[in-house]
Amino acid sequence: MFCPFCGHDLGTILVFCGSCGRNVQFLAEVQSESSVQVSEDDLLQKYFRDGHSYSVILDFLALKHNIKMSLRTLKKKLNNLSLYKRKNYSPLEIVRTAITDELSGSGQHYGYRTMCQTLRQKHNLTVRRQDIMLMMADLDPIGIEQRSRRRFVRRVYYSLGPNHVWHVDGYDKLKPYGLAISGCIDGYSRKVMWLVCGASNNDPDIIAHHYLQCASEFGVIPQLLRTDCGTENGTMAAIHCSLRSTHTDDLAGASSHMYGSSITNQRIESWWSYFRKQRSQFWMDLLNDLKDRQLFNGSHEQICLMRFVFLSVLQKDLDECKEIWNTHTIRAVKQSRCPSGKPDAMYALPHRFNGRECGFCISQEDLDEFFIELTRSTCGDRQLQAHYEELYAQSNLTISHTWEAGVENYITLKNIAHI
């Protein structure tokens, strides 16, 4: 035995190392633990129950335990231990009880192959796969039917009615070009409550401002607000919990806001997928084309110019996208517990879709107590915005109403500003 600190040969282990003086008494405990040998019979039973072949068992014994034996000897020892693969099957009553026990717990999703392996390893039973198939067909017919479909079982979203849950999230695909989008969707009706583009979607004041504007527009706040764990949602969450503090329902006060990961914020994340295919992919390709043409390098000046030119054009496109979505018809889906129809109708007329209004009316006076005045300029830099406005006026450019005009104005102002 050697000292783990200095490498000195300890010989008979003492309390302290004779070379470095460190305490090595723990080595005696380790040595005593390692001296406990597992019996050969236990090893044979373990590897046999794990379902290994004879050749694999021999390799395990030789390489890991330094036990060498012939195949004939192995078979003889297994026979002495009454370990057979095709003999001495366990009584079917005991097997059936073990299967019932597994199906009552976490093993209820097992197929017959996994169940067969579990019975052999966990319950030390000798079983035939055919018997397990027949028993599970009798004990778990619904589970077998579901597994035979080979279909992914999705979670089912459930909401009581409009304003039961609002899902809030940011969209960052256009952020490399300085265009940050924030959105909110009602979980029941799938109505887009707000869809706003700005210089940032990470500023807590900006997100809270969107929330207050939406609550003022509809005169209602949701029963539950669902957001990601980002710090940009902190102010909005605090305002919402404060506004809900006077209510008496189960989700009043601090319980009215719920943090969670992006992958579980399924309503808004699913809508971003639609938005990517229907709208944002065009803008990503357009702005990426400007980058490929060496007209955009990601500098602060060019990002601010990009916002100055394209922000109003993109917001107009977002408003159009929001309007089209809220008035289109969502078809019925078997796995969904939410109704089908037009989001605007499902939101405003929940009684026609077996829902009920879940929100809480809010007065403008209550919202004014949390008034937030935004100090950030449109393009994110007040000096650059004033500079671009001056150049815009001097060059007699027309206001960008289309993406074509936006591209022309961007290139013109970029050349004038020499950025």
Side-chain angles (χ1 to χ4, degrees), residues 303-364:
I303 287 178
C304 291
L305 179 59
M306 185 74 73
R307 292 171 183 156
F308 179 77
V309 174
F310 284 103
L311 203 59
S312 60
V313 183
L314 179 55
Q315 185 59 56
K316 179 181 177 182
D317 194 60
L318 294 180
D319 293 339
E320 179 182 322
C321 177
K322 173 185 171 184
E323 179 66 22
I324 292 176
W325 170 266
N326 287 342
T327 54
H328 93 294
T329 301
I330 299 177
R331 63 184 179 181
V333 179
K334 291 182 180 180
Q335 293 180 339
S336 176
R337 293 185 182 178
C338 290
S340 59
K342 297 182 183 297
D344 274 346
M346 290 187 287
Y347 182 83
L349 308 172
H351 61 278
R352 297 178 62 90
F353 304 91
N354 297 321
R356 62 179 178 84
E357 174 60 49
C358 299
F360 296 87
C361 295
I362 194 72
S363 65
Q364 188 61 44

Side-chain angles (χ1 to χ4, degrees), residues 42-252:
D42 291 339
L43 293 175
L44 292 175
Q45 290 181 0
K46 177 187 182 304
Y47 292 131
F48 182 84
R49 295 299 183 188
D50 288 348
H52 297 300
S53 63
Y54 293 144
S55 60
V56 172
I57 294 177
L58 290 174
D59 280 347
F60 269 125
L61 295 175
L63 297 179
K64 294 189 64 176
H65 309 284
N66 198 26
I67 300 176
K68 296 182 180 180
M69 65 176 66
S70 64
L71 177 60
R72 183 177 179 179
T73 303
L74 174 63
K75 291 182 178 180
K76 183 178 180 180
K77 289 181 177 292
L78 292 176
N79 290 338
N80 293 335
L81 294 172
S82 299
L83 298 176
Y84 305 100
K85 292 186 177 180
R86 296 179 180 87
K87 290 174 57 178
N88 295 348
Y89 293 111
S90 301
L92 295 182
E93 294 77 10
I94 298 178
V95 175
R96 189 181 185 90
T97 302
I99 294 177
T100 304
D101 181 62
E102 291 295 328
L103 291 176
S104 65
S106 59
Q108 59 187 260
H109 299 296
Y110 286 169
Y112 70 91
R113 292 182 179 88
T114 305
M115 182 64 73
C116 189
Q117 181 181 359
T118 302
L119 295 176
R120 289 170 178 169
Q121 293 183 223
K122 180 178 178 181
H123 298 272
N124 294 327
L125 298 176
T126 303
V127 295
R128 287 179 295 194
R129 184 175 292 182
Q130 183 67 24
D131 293 338
I132 305 303
M133 291 177 60
L134 296 175
M135 288 187 183
M136 291 192 66
D138 181 43
L139 295 174
D140 188 28
I142 298 177
I144 290 179
E145 181 183 358
Q146 291 177 344
R147 287 188 292 272
S148 64
R149 296 176 184 176
R150 297 182 181 274
R151 293 175 58 186
F152 177 73
V153 180
R154 297 183 178 273
R155 294 175 297 169
V156 179
Y157 183 94
Y158 179 71
S159 180
L160 297 175
N163 300 314
H164 181 213
V165 186
W166 283 5
H167 300 263
V168 182
D169 192 24
Y171 188 77
D172 298 338
K173 298 299 183 182
L174 299 177
K175 222 171 185 181
Y177 307 98
L179 303 171
I181 299 175
S182 175
C184 173
I185 191 171
D186 175 63
Y188 175 81
S189 63
R190 283 86 90 196
K191 176 184 176 69
V192 176
M193 308 303 293
W194 77 73
L195 188 64
V196 183
C197 180
S200 172
N201 58 6
N202 295 117
D203 189 335
D205 288 346
I206 292 179
I207 305 301
H209 180 74
H210 296 332
Y211 169 82
L212 291 173
Q213 276 193 328
C214 183
S216 176
E217 177 184 353
F218 292 97
V220 67
I221 57 175
Q223 187 174 14
L224 180 64
L225 189 65
R226 172 68 168 78
T227 68
D228 297 339
C229 299
T231 56
E232 70 273 7
N233 300 311
T235 303
M236 175 181 61
I239 292 175
H240 179 72
C241 293
S242 179
L243 292 173
R244 292 273 282 113
S245 62
T246 58
H247 301 144
T248 58
D249 60 291
D250 294 338
L251 296 177

